[in-house]
Amino acid sequence: MNNHPSSQPILCIDLKKNRIRIHKHTLHMLGDPEYIQLLVNPDTHMIAVRKSVRQDYLAHHVRACYSDIRNSYELYSRELLQTLKQTNAELSNNRSYRIYGAINKKEGLASFSMQECILVDESVRIGEIV
């Protein structure tokens, strides 16, 4: 996979804060949905972000939680992050990882492989992180 941020969706996993960060660019690539759904397949080590609708009880409301001045949408869940950690034995607690994914515009889906996590260098300032 090409690691060019402008052409790929980006997802960050922060195991220290039990947070998943979906970058604004990823949401733009999905058509700036009002609702999203997270899909996890532990067998294939994949996580996906899919456009959804208000009627979907599994959907997360995005529009109210992020704006043009914020860089991302964040979800917090210790249980989900621990499940994701089990899909990649190399992930360490108290670390953050970036995953570049692929977009499927027809399906309104961004998919990410948990096997392609890249450790975020903590020595880089927050403003410099893509």
Side-chain angles (χ1 to χ4, degrees):
M1 237 180 238
N2 171 349
N3 285 345
H4 193 268
S6 65
S7 65
Q8 292 180 278
I10 303 170
L11 183 76
C12 289
I13 296 172
D14 184 342
L15 293 170
K16 182 175 184 179
K17 296 181 181 177
N18 296 310
R19 171 177 60 194
I20 293 177
R21 180 179 290 147
I22 304 166
H23 282 241
K24 184 186 342 182
H25 177 71
T26 301
L27 295 170
H28 286 322
M29 293 176 86
L30 291 172
D32 292 313
E34 189 169 345
Y35 292 87
I36 61 167
Q37 188 180 61
L38 287 178
L39 306 169
V40 177
N41 186 333
D43 296 331
T44 61
H45 309 285
M46 296 294 290
I47 183 168
V49 178
R50 180 173 69 179
K51 287 172 40 169
S52 192
V53 294
R54 180 181 188 160
Q55 294 77 12
D56 182 354
Y57 73 96
L58 296 174
H60 298 272
H61 191 213
V62 176
R63 292 266 176 143
C65 298
Y66 100 99
S67 66
D68 290 335
I69 60 172
R70 294 190 52 145
N71 292 325
S72 59
Y73 173 69
E74 297 176 349
L75 294 165
Y76 293 83
S77 173
R78 179 181 27 220
E79 292 81 16
L80 177 59
L81 271 290
Q82 290 307 311
T83 300
L84 291 175
K85 187 173 182 266
Q86 292 172 4
T87 66
N88 185 337
E90 295 179 16
L91 299 180
S92 301
N93 286 331
N94 301 323
R95 295 305 209 112
S96 296
Y97 298 88
R98 182 177 299 124
I99 311 169
Y100 293 95
I103 195 84
N104 181 330
K105 288 190 180 198
K106 181 180 176 186
E107 298 293 327
L109 183 100
S111 59
F112 306 87
S113 171
M114 289 300 297
Q115 299 300 310
E116 297 183 17
C117 294
I118 300 168
L119 181 63
V120 174
D121 184 357
E122 294 175 356
S123 67
V124 177
R125 292 186 331 197
I126 303 281
E128 294 175 355
I129 295 176
V130 176

